[in-house]
Amino acid sequence: MSFLDDYNIIRLNRYNNHRGDCLGKILIVEDEEIIANGLAAITKSIDPDLDITMTGYASEALKFTEINQYDAFILDIQLNDYSGLELAKEIRNIDKYKMTPIVFITAIPTRELIAFKEIHCYDYIVKPFKEEKVREVLETIINYGIKSERKKKS
């Protein structure tokens, strides 16, 4: 069993909200387990009612986008099986995600222009990152995007 298999078990057991009253869904696509868990923990600290799905694979992420309705995406640009930029382009080709916030996480900050101009990403966070930077970006998405959209639908 690889760490990503363990990682998916952690994703399913630890971060999914089974109460049915979650305020929104976020998909984290990051192949480094420590970073993915850190991003999930920061996100949950902002709003514990969010439903967070994590995977380290772009192919699995695309399957998740078909069966779920996500309110935001956090994508690593360099994944083991695929480019996060290509994944984002495929997500943008799905009508329901044309304007959904995408935040890129990367150790190599050379593709910002592509991320902003071609994919219309919301923000771009460079590794190693500080919790404050992640919190700043996600608080805006969660508090002014996800929560306000959920209130409109209620």
Side-chain angles (χ1 to χ4, degrees):
M1 185 180 277
S2 74
F3 89 85
L4 284 171
D5 292 329
D6 291 334
Y7 174 40
N8 284 327
I9 292 167
I10 291 168
R11 172 187 49 82
L12 291 171
N13 292 334
R14 184 169 175 201
Y15 292 107
N16 280 352
N17 179 334
H18 295 288
R19 297 178 309 176
D21 60 350
C22 68
L23 292 175
K25 290 183 174 219
I26 295 178
L27 176 59
I28 298 173
V29 186
E30 168 61 65
D31 53 12
E32 292 182 53
E33 180 181 15
I34 292 171
I35 293 173
N37 285 332
L39 291 167
I42 293 167
T43 304
K44 288 298 244 185
S45 75
I46 296 168
D47 188 337
D49 290 328
L50 288 170
D51 183 354
I52 298 174
T53 307
M54 297 176 4
T55 182
Y57 297 99
S59 56
E60 188 174 44
L62 285 171
K63 289 177 188 170
F64 289 148
T65 63
E66 294 170 9
I67 59 174
N68 293 294
Q69 175 65 46
Y70 290 103
D71 299 294
F73 299 94
I74 302 172
L75 308 177
D76 185 12
I77 285 185
Q78 290 189 298
L79 298 165
N80 286 333
D81 68 335
Y82 209 64
S83 159
L85 288 170
E86 290 303 314
L87 171 60
K89 288 177 185 177
E90 290 188 37
I91 289 170
R92 284 287 185 243
N93 284 329
I94 301 169
D95 284 341
K96 65 183 178 180
Y97 297 124
K98 292 282 185 202
M99 298 302 292
T100 304
I102 295 175
V103 176
F104 284 113
I105 306 290
T106 188
I108 304 169
T110 58
R111 299 190 178 155
E112 292 127 323
L113 190 58
I114 294 170
F116 284 109
K117 289 190 72 83
E118 290 182 21
I119 299 165
H120 309 290
C121 77
Y122 179 79
D123 212 332
Y124 198 99
I125 300 171
V126 178
K127 297 177 195 175
F129 51 79
K130 295 190 185 234
E131 180 178 343
E132 297 80 33
K133 173 62 177 168
V134 175
R135 182 174 292 284
E136 173 189 317
V137 171
L138 294 181
E139 281 179 344
T140 302
I141 291 170
I142 293 166
N143 293 328
Y144 299 101
I146 295 172
K147 284 184 179 178
S148 66
E149 282 299 312
R150 294 293 179 208
K151 284 179 184 176
K152 287 180 193 174
K153 291 178 183 176
S154 315

